[in-house]
Amino acid sequence: MFRVELLNIGTELLLGNVVNTHASYLGHKLTELGATITRQVCINDTREDILEAFRQGIQKADLLITTGGLGPTSDDITRDLVAELFQLKMKLDDRAMANIKARARRRGTAILESMKCQANVPEIATVLYNENGTAPGFMIPLSKTVDGRVEAVSGSLTPGTKIQCSWIVMLPGPPRELRPMFEKQVYPWIQTEFKTQLPLIECRVLKVAGKGESTIAEKLEPLLKGLPGLEIGYCARPNEVDVRLYVCGTDKSDIQKTVDLAEAKTREALGSDIFGFGRDTLEEVVVKMLQKQKQTVTTAESCTGGFLSHRITMVSGSSDVFRKGFVVYSNDAKATMLGVPGHLLVEYGAVSEPVVKSMAENALRKAEADFALAITGIAGPTGGSDEKPVGTVYIALATRTGVEVQHHKYNFERETFKFVTSQTALNMLRLKLKDSSL
Amino acid sequence: MFRVELLNIGTELLLGNVVNTHASYLGHKLTELGATITRQVCINDTREDILEAFRQGIQKADLLITTGGLGPTSDDITRDLVAELFQLKMKLDDRAMANIKARARRRGTAILESMKCQANVPEIATVLYNENGTAPGFMIPLSKTVDGRVEAVSGSLTPGTKIQCSWIVMLPGPPRELRPMFEKQVYPWIQTEFKTQLPLIECRVLKVAGKGESTIAEKLEPLLKGLPGLEIGYCARPNEVDVRLYVCGTDKSDIQKTVDLAEAKTREALGSDIFGFGRDTLEEVVVKMLQKQKQTVTTAESCTGGFLSHRITMVSGSSDVFRKGFVVYSNDAKATMLGVPGHLLVEYGAVSEPVVKSMAENALRKAEADFALAITGIAGPTGGSDEKPVGTVYIALATRTGVEVQHHKYNFERETFKFVTSQTALNMLRLKLKDSSL
């Protein structure tokens, strides 16, 4: 077992102002590598707490990963405390300093004295350069004697302390700085540095849309029962489930065989409900299919307010397949921007099958696209009625040959409501594209 | 200082399948009460880890709050381990058992043997009945001698151990069970039980847009230095910084005076860069200002692809102020949907000041809105040139009397690029609305 302890430093995390997403992000990545997170600890930016957490963190785990505390402000004292605790000589890193200067120049801001301290790194550390911010991370090797006891360091570490840990990896706090740094620099390093300690594993994630977790589990479990070393995991998000096939063992070819068989059985059982693999998103899959078939899609959104077009345009290269989107958040907008007939709006209401059909057909024509997705519904919390309660939503997919409509009731708060609704719309398009490519 | 340690028990949290929202929820609530969370620890459902975490947890904090491990499945062993560690006699609680039976009856499911163990509670505990699930929580008083040392317990707790903690509060893991239980039963109990220990605190969060963390700190720190008991904290997100003013003390009117003074000085120093308070979002603030002034906004988005209209429509009630949005992801869309003159697109290119101006002016006219925000830029990773590198973006705000344009270079991956760009657009509108309301 390769044991990792995770230490999150930052008072804002304990005050509850910010949700700690580092734990789940790193947990996911490290599990993928075959590591086990044995403990995650979060502490305040105070001297005694930081020192105590480092003292504890190095005792039981093979690797200590810390997040936060490396920035330029007065509460970022971790760098100095680690130097003190492990008696590390610090030096100014030229490349880190050049990065700080370059970023300030690009922003047209002055280089403040407080920013410079971020280029101070331990001499013995491997520096992790930051592509998305000023504070570099670093990896510190811990020197110890053969039996794992610290021999004679002064500082705040008691001589004779047992150290299990051989490296400390320190990452900056902002997720958009931490994540690429971890993926590009730390992840491959762990694979190499701890090669002999990491168990052999193979993990495949199949992504499923349109089926619930229990339904999937009920189908799969009897089929996959008894495959040696196989663990099946599920991660359910609204209208999307990851099926994780995880095999741990000692023989590479056995593991391979098991996971291949498990994947084949899963694909057979779930068929076209599987939309992707690994980290695929539904929007990526749909954009790729459209690119391949040289076709385009347009959107006409009421209650999702642009979230569907946002998801499509999150995919690099989406401009090949998406050119126009209509956000029609009022009756007037549906009439004037798309040409939905007024009598339909009056007779059936904006949230109805005839209106969503008309939205899709008109958007298709106006945008001269091959497919049009239209959405109209009641996101809530207000605006519902007995006949059309909050959560009611109509979704239409128009093609040159016809329109299909789905009608759902999604009882979620607004953000999830938008996600689930756009997910259903994208999945309708995916299934249509799959059929038309056969 | 009233110190709380938070212990989250559950392997799924460390595997990264689930985001730990308990920490931020309880952090927020406890801070409100004046308590300080000194540490949050998350561990796996294994015997040794659970025992060790309890042993550590009671040593330094006044109150230990645990989540998870109380359910009916085989990995929920916490209840038994706590009984073992503190030598607690257990008993079957009739009301908890009645609740388990009533819930099973309502669902039409059988009462499994494994479910009954949930009604087993320590004899000395105060039981926290569960309105939304089967597992009750409980609160265990810790007996100790006057100097806080455990006298002569056997079990796994070493005699002579120093205990700071006087109560352990154990809550079930599912958020929808934990939250009402905490709010109705534990929150008021803490207020009474620890009345004399709870310090007086006041915490205010001011939200800032358009300035970086270092710039803000450099301005504020000299001004706020020396205010008694004041702690300043920062939490930086792209194009948004929270400034946290936190005062802890013994005299209510002193604290009030200090925090009022700190807030006044901060407001003076940062002026209109402060857009909100507490948990406000920029889109909420903008929608509220528009509602108050009975005005409307429309959007014309190229590179943000609907993300700006999505943010606006995340605010409940936004339909009062937002009716139409144009997602114009191609030159043709800009021309046909908005009427941007073809010669501007040819002469200056889609990412240019004349085009963004025309987009805003035409959107304003077409949507008959009071304000129009238009965005055109190169999100990347491809599509840049020497003259207009990736990250180049033009943002325009049109009103009935004119258009203002900002030009930026935002070097972020796509998601952050969209956030930062929409943040700047919303902030332009906020500042304009602020001026027009004077």
Side-chain angles (χ1 to χ4, degrees):
Chain A
M1 195 156 88
F2 178 67
R3 301 162 70 100
V4 180
E5 174 150 325
L6 183 58
L7 175 61
N8 303 118
I9 303 161
T11 302
E12 73 280 8
L13 294 169
L14 291 174
L15 286 174
N17 297 335
V18 181
V19 174
N20 183 355
T21 55
H22 294 322
S24 66
Y25 169 77
L26 290 169
H28 186 75
K29 286 283 155 196
L30 289 161
T31 303
E32 209 175 88
L33 277 168
T36 304
I37 298 201
T38 45
R39 191 165 84 144
Q40 170 264 329
V41 175
C42 182
I43 53 164
N44 292 301
D45 295 305
T46 54
R47 182 185 162 84
E48 269 322 307
D49 289 349
I50 293 174
L51 289 173
E52 174 65 18
F54 272 90
R55 275 188 214 112
Q56 279 195 17
I58 57 173
Q59 281 176 40
K60 290 191 178 166
D62 301 298
L63 175 65
L64 174 64
I65 298 182
T66 73
T67 68
L70 303 178
T73 52
S74 57
D75 49 4
D76 293 316
I77 54 175
T78 309
R79 185 186 293 100
D80 297 339
L81 289 175
V82 170
E84 176 188 327
L85 185 62
F86 298 107
Q87 297 263 299
L88 302 175
K89 275 206 193 101
M90 301 295 278
K91 63 162 188 196
L92 196 82
D93 186 89
D94 293 335
R95 190 169 148 195
M97 183 54 99
N99 178 43
I100 292 170
K101 287 184 179 164
R103 294 187 72 85
R105 212 178 307 124
R106 246 181 290 151
R107 294 183 170 209
T109 55
I111 299 158
L112 305 172
E113 208 44 50
S114 59
M115 288 163 78
K116 291 187 190 162
C117 73
Q118 297 177 103
N120 243 347
V121 301
E123 263 185 20
I124 54 160
T126 307
V127 180
L128 303 167
Y129 294 100
N130 191 339
E131 290 175 7
N132 302 292
T134 45
F138 29 85
M139 310 201 289
I140 305 167
L142 294 186
S143 59
K144 45 186 184 180
T145 58
V146 214
D147 71 342
R149 271 163 222 284
V150 174
E151 242 180 3
V153 292
S154 56
S156 337
L157 204 63
T158 321
T161 308
K162 174 105 170 56
I163 298 185
Q164 172 66 27
C165 184
S166 54
W167 285 86
I168 300 177
V169 172
M170 300 182 65
L171 301 168
R176 57 177 213 86
E177 299 178 22
L178 177 148
R179 292 180 183 199
M181 189 182 284
F182 183 81
E183 268 158 67
K184 290 185 195 166
Q185 301 179 69
V186 183
Y187 191 103
W189 172 82
I190 292 176
Q191 282 180 311
T192 314
E193 178 71 26
F194 300 102
K195 196 173 175 158
T196 55
Q197 289 176 67
L198 286 169
L200 285 175
I201 62 138
E202 174 95 30
C203 182
R204 294 191 194 158
V205 174
L206 297 172
K207 315 228 16 165
V208 182
K211 284 273 178 304
E213 182 182 2
S214 325
T215 316
I216 295 170
E218 202 138 303
K219 267 194 171 179
L220 284 187
E221 309 266 330
L223 285 174
L224 301 180
K225 218 167 154 181
L227 287 184
L230 176 72
E231 279 178 47
I232 315 166
Y234 304 93
C235 177
R237 282 177 296 276
N239 218 341
E240 184 170 309
V241 177
D242 292 352
V243 177
R244 198 176 60 241
L245 305 169
Y246 181 96
V247 184
C248 185
T250 47
D251 183 274
K252 199 164 173 159
S253 98
D254 282 353
I255 292 173
Q256 202 70 34
K257 245 182 258 166
T258 305
V259 82
D260 283 345
L261 188 59
E263 185 181 338
K265 279 174 184 278
T266 305
R267 288 194 182 274
E268 201 187 311
L270 302 178
S272 66
D273 289 332
I274 297 174
F275 72 81
F277 190 83
R279 314 189 92 203
D280 288 345
T281 65
L282 189 50
E283 50 269 39
E284 278 166 7
V285 169
V286 166
V287 167
K288 262 185 219 157
M289 289 171 96
L290 286 167
Q291 279 176 321
K292 213 169 160 187
Q293 300 184 28
K294 295 199 194 315
Q295 293 190 298
T296 61
V297 64
T298 185
T299 55
E301 302 180 64
S302 185
C303 57
T304 46
F307 187 67
L308 176 59
S309 64
H310 159 58
R311 285 185 67 180
I312 294 171
T313 58
M314 273 304 290
V315 184
S316 178
S318 52
S319 56
D320 294 345
V321 305
F322 176 80
R323 278 136 205 190
K324 294 179 185 175
F326 305 86
V327 183
V328 288
Y329 214 59
S330 64
N331 279 1
D332 174 58
K334 292 176 186 73
T336 57
M337 284 176 72
L338 292 173
V340 173
H343 72 89
L344 290 183
L345 290 161
V346 173
E347 200 169 329
Y348 302 98
V351 179
S352 65
E353 178 159 341
V355 167
V356 84
K357 260 189 162 166
S358 173
M359 284 168 66
E361 285 166 343
N362 281 295
L364 189 80
R365 196 173 39 76
K366 288 228 164 206
E368 295 172 7
D370 300 297
F371 300 96
L373 287 169
I375 297 171
T376 179
I378 304 158
T382 59
S385 66
D386 281 354
E387 201 197 338
K388 290 176 188 169
V390 165
T392 302
V393 64
Y394 288 87
I395 307 169
L397 168 61
T399 64
R400 299 242 166 90
T401 56
V403 194
E404 60 182 273
V405 176
Q406 287 193 17
H407 170 208
H408 294 277
K409 221 179 129 263
Y410 289 137
N411 282 101
F412 299 108
E413 40 45 73
R414 194 171 277 243
E415 191 166 6
T416 310
F417 175 86
K418 282 187 172 194
F419 181 83
V420 170
T421 304
S422 59
Q423 188 81 350
T424 302
L426 288 169
N427 204 37
M428 284 169 78
L429 179 53
R430 179 183 69 88
L431 293 169
K432 178 66 80 182
L433 285 163
K434 211 175 159 82
D435 283 349
S436 66
S437 72
L438 294 178
Chain B
M1 194 156 90
F2 179 68
R3 303 161 69 99
V4 180
E5 174 149 326
L6 182 59
L7 175 61
N8 305 117
I9 303 162
T11 302
E12 72 282 7
L13 295 168
L14 291 174
L15 285 174
N17 297 335
V18 181
V19 174
N20 183 354
T21 55
H22 294 322
S24 67
Y25 169 77
L26 290 169
H28 187 73
K29 287 283 159 198
L30 288 160
T31 303
E32 211 176 88
L33 278 168
T36 304
I37 297 201
T38 45
R39 192 165 82 144
Q40 171 264 327
V41 175
C42 182
I43 53 165
N44 291 301
D45 294 306
T46 55
R47 182 184 161 85
E48 268 322 308
D49 289 349
I50 293 174
L51 289 173
E52 174 65 18
F54 272 91
R55 276 188 214 113
Q56 279 196 17
I58 57 172
Q59 282 177 39
K60 291 193 178 165
D62 300 299
L63 176 64
L64 174 64
I65 299 182
T66 73
T67 69
L70 303 178
T73 51
S74 57
D75 49 4
D76 292 317
I77 54 175
T78 308
R79 183 187 295 100
D80 297 338
L81 289 175
V82 170
E84 176 188 328
L85 185 62
F86 298 107
Q87 298 264 298
L88 303 175
K89 273 204 193 107
M90 301 296 277
K91 64 165 188 192
L92 197 83
D93 186 89
D94 292 337
R95 190 170 149 194
M97 183 55 100
N99 179 42
I100 292 170
K101 286 184 178 163
R103 295 187 72 85
R105 212 177 309 124
R106 245 180 293 152
R107 295 183 168 208
T109 54
I111 300 158
L112 305 172
E113 209 44 50
S114 60
M115 288 163 78
K116 291 187 189 163
C117 72
Q118 297 176 102
N120 243 347
V121 301
E123 261 185 23
I124 54 161
T126 308
V127 180
L128 303 166
Y129 295 101
N130 191 339
E131 292 174 8
N132 301 291
T134 45
F138 31 83
M139 310 201 290
I140 306 167
L142 294 187
S143 59
K144 46 188 183 180
T145 58
V146 214
D147 72 341
R149 270 164 223 284
V150 174
E151 241 180 4
V153 292
S154 57
S156 337
L157 205 63
T158 321
T161 306
K162 174 105 170 55
I163 298 184
Q164 172 66 28
C165 184
S166 54
W167 285 86
I168 300 177
V169 173
M170 298 181 66
L171 302 169
R176 55 180 218 90
E177 299 178 22
L178 177 148
R179 293 182 181 197
M181 187 181 285
F182 184 81
E183 267 158 68
K184 291 185 194 166
Q185 301 179 68
V186 183
Y187 191 103
W189 171 82
I190 292 177
Q191 282 179 311
T192 315
E193 177 72 25
F194 300 104
K195 197 176 174 150
T196 55
Q197 289 177 68
L198 283 170
L200 294 170
I201 63 129
E202 176 96 29
C203 181
R204 294 188 194 161
V205 174
L206 297 172
K207 314 225 18 163
V208 182
K211 285 273 178 301
E213 181 182 3
S214 320
T215 316
I216 294 170
E218 198 130 308
K219 266 194 172 179
L220 284 187
E221 309 264 329
L223 286 173
L224 300 181
K225 220 169 157 177
L227 287 184
L230 177 72
E231 279 177 47
I232 316 166
Y234 304 93
C235 177
R237 283 178 294 275
N239 217 342
E240 184 170 308
V241 177
D242 292 354
V243 176
R244 197 176 61 240
L245 305 169
Y246 182 95
V247 185
C248 184
T250 48
D251 183 273
K252 197 166 172 149
S253 97
D254 282 353
I255 290 173
Q256 203 69 35
K257 245 184 258 167
T258 305
V259 80
D260 283 345
L261 189 60
E263 184 180 339
K265 278 176 184 279
T266 304
R267 286 194 182 275
E268 202 188 308
L270 302 178
S272 65
D273 289 331
I274 297 173
F275 72 83
F277 191 83
R279 309 187 117 196
D280 288 345
T281 66
L282 189 51
E283 50 270 37
E284 278 166 8
V285 169
V286 166
V287 167
K288 263 186 218 154
M289 289 171 96
L290 286 166
Q291 280 175 322
K292 211 169 162 189
Q293 299 183 29
K294 296 199 194 312
Q295 294 192 299
T296 61
V297 64
T298 186
T299 54
E301 303 180 63
S302 185
C303 57
T304 46
F307 187 67
L308 176 59
S309 64
H310 159 57
R311 286 185 65 181
I312 293 170
T313 59
M314 274 303 290
V315 184
S316 178
S318 52
S319 55
D320 295 345
V321 305
F322 176 79
R323 277 137 204 190
K324 294 180 186 175
F326 304 86
V327 182
V328 287
Y329 215 57
S330 64
N331 279 1
D332 173 58
K334 292 175 185 75
T336 56
M337 286 176 71
L338 292 172
V340 172
H343 71 90
L344 290 183
L345 289 161
V346 174
E347 200 170 331
Y348 301 99
V351 180
S352 65
E353 178 158 343
V355 167
V356 83
K357 260 188 162 165
S358 173
M359 284 167 65
E361 284 166 343
N362 281 296
L364 189 80
R365 196 172 40 76
K366 288 229 163 204
E368 296 172 8
D370 301 297
F371 300 96
L373 287 168
I375 297 172
T376 179
I378 304 158
T382 60
S385 66
D386 281 354
E387 201 196 337
K388 290 174 189 170
V390 165
T392 302
V393 64
Y394 289 86
I395 306 168
L397 169 61
T399 65
R400 299 244 166 89
T401 56
V403 194
E404 60 183 271
V405 176
Q406 286 192 17
H407 171 206
H408 294 277
K409 222 181 127 262
Y410 289 137
N411 283 102
F412 299 109
E413 39 45 76
R414 195 171 275 244
E415 190 166 8
T416 310
F417 175 87
K418 282 185 172 195
F419 181 82
V420 171
T421 303
S422 59
Q423 188 80 351
T424 302
L426 288 168
N427 204 36
M428 283 170 77
L429 177 53
R430 179 183 68 87
L431 293 169
K432 177 66 77 182
L433 285 163
K434 210 175 160 89
D435 284 349
S436 67
S437 73
L438 294 179

